[in-house]
Amino acid sequence: MRYSTLHTHTIFSDGKHMPEDNVLSAIAKNMVSIGFSDHSYTDFKLDCCIKPVTTPAYIAEIRRLQKKYADQIEIYLGMEYDGFSTVENRELYDYILGDAHYLKIGDEYCTVDDSKATQLEHIHKHFSGNAMAYAKAYFETYVDSVQRLKPEILGHFDLLTKFNVFDESAPTYQKAALDALTTSLKVSPLIEMNTGAMSRKAKDSPYPAPFLLKEILNQGGHIILNSDSHDLNHLDFYFDESIEILRSVGYKHIVQLIGGKFVEVGI
Ligand SMILES: [Zn+2]
Ligand SMILES: [Zn+2]
């Protein structure tokens, strides 16, 4: 099948390459569409997000590429919104991803996906070493984010598992995750399978975990396959294998953005 990814990063936020280089890579890979989703502006952490001053250039560049390569690939303009960002001018974008990258504790924004050491430090410092309490707080934050953002696509749902710190088979963990999933799917039934942490060698399986994939299917949700790539070589990283995982869970379709609409494509 021809692949698509709607979760990609460029030099406008923390990606390595120019949007046009990503487009050329996607064309070389015979992808049907590519969407750009640089990180929304967060005033408390500036090193990885798009700045208000560069946002117009980002929008103009993606729209320019859309026209330039219209006969070769479909190009879409998105933004990966963090729940602590303010959504302005949403009508400028073809879609948004909704995500949670931080826990806010007091005045501190605690990064979920920075490093294992940082995550363990936060669990120790703010949750008395109780990883399950951290997990509950993360999933509550995730739900708050999607309820605030109302995104077209739910992004990396179980980002907290990036460093294999949590016992994902624990009933307490699964209940917190499943409760948050049920609420989130009511906001948007479209959730991504995300291979980004794999291409960056942090994880050996995509988000979300298999027990969540099963529940998404049970609840009538839909999967969109995204690479969360920061490198033009990773646009379709682990996609063949991810399709196999989805088939093994019982999926018959994924969703892709084609012709401006989210449509089901057989797998
Ligand atoms: Zn993210
Ligand atoms: Zn991302």
Side-chain angles (χ1 to χ4, degrees):
M1 67 183 295
R2 294 181 72 196
Y3 289 131
S4 164
T5 179
L6 296 186
H7 192 158
T8 65
H9 297 280
T10 75
I11 57 156
F12 282 97
S13 64
D14 61 349
K16 284 188 191 161
H17 300 110
M18 297 289 290
E20 188 153 11
D21 294 327
N22 280 275
V23 168
L24 293 172
S25 176
I27 291 169
K29 290 172 181 290
N30 194 32
M31 296 178 82
V32 63
S33 62
I34 179 171
F36 291 93
S37 61
D38 273 308
H39 288 285
S40 62
Y41 177 64
T42 44
D43 60 5
F44 54 87
K45 192 167 190 303
L46 301 176
D47 58 332
C48 61
C49 68
I50 198 162
K51 310 298 177 294
V53 69
T54 51
T55 303
Y58 167 69
I59 292 171
E61 176 61 358
I62 307 307
R63 294 299 184 205
R64 180 185 77 83
L65 296 172
Q66 223 169 14
K67 290 198 191 89
K68 180 172 176 183
Y69 293 99
D71 59 344
Q72 296 179 70
I73 190 167
E74 294 188 22
I75 297 173
Y76 294 98
L77 171 64
M79 184 75 85
E80 180 180 8
Y81 269 96
D82 186 83
F84 292 114
S85 294
T86 305
V87 182
E88 287 164 346
N89 302 324
R90 181 171 175 158
E91 66 283 359
L92 296 175
Y93 301 97
D94 299 325
Y95 64 92
I96 66 167
L97 285 153
D99 280 315
H101 302 93
Y102 308 94
L103 298 186
K104 189 175 184 201
I105 299 167
D107 289 336
E108 190 183 346
Y109 290 91
C110 300
T111 318
V112 172
D113 61 335
D114 188 37
S115 72
K116 184 170 185 167
T118 308
Q119 194 177 50
L120 289 171
E121 185 193 320
H122 290 148
I123 292 169
H124 177 73
K125 183 174 156 194
H126 297 300
F127 297 91
S128 308
N130 184 343
M132 287 300 148
Y134 178 102
K136 267 187 94 170
Y138 166 81
F139 284 118
E140 284 167 14
T141 302
Y142 190 92
V143 166
D144 284 350
S145 294
V146 300
Q147 286 181 329
R148 192 174 315 131
L149 298 167
K150 298 187 172 47
E152 279 76 16
I153 303 168
L154 305 174
H156 46 57
F157 178 77
D158 46 353
L159 179 70
L160 79 167
T161 64
K162 183 171 178 180
F163 309 111
N164 307 307
V165 162
F166 301 92
D167 175 5
E168 295 174 58
S169 65
T172 317
Y173 175 86
Q174 294 206 351
K175 184 176 183 334
L178 291 170
D179 286 352
L181 182 70
T182 301
T183 310
S184 300
L185 287 173
K186 284 179 187 148
V187 177
S188 169
L190 184 56
I191 182 164
E192 71 173 6
M193 189 173 191
N194 177 315
T195 62
M198 298 185 71
S199 63
R200 292 187 285 287
K201 299 187 169 46
K203 246 173 100 68
D204 57 9
S205 60
Y207 309 111
F211 78 94
L212 294 165
L213 290 173
K214 274 186 205 138
E215 190 57 23
I216 293 162
L217 188 62
N218 287 344
Q219 294 196 21
H222 298 281
I223 293 287
I224 189 160
L225 185 53
N226 281 337
S227 54
D228 197 354
S229 57
H230 293 62
D231 182 312
L232 60 81
N233 295 304
H234 294 159
L235 293 174
D236 57 354
F237 188 88
Y238 208 71
F239 275 16
D240 289 346
E241 297 88 341
S242 296
I243 293 290
E244 284 308 316
I245 292 170
L246 290 170
R247 284 185 187 134
S248 73
V249 173
Y251 284 88
K252 303 275 190 280
H253 303 93
I254 58 169
V255 163
Q256 293 182 336
L257 183 53
I258 299 175
K261 291 198 169 69
F262 288 103
V263 295
E264 289 187 3
V265 179
I267 61 171

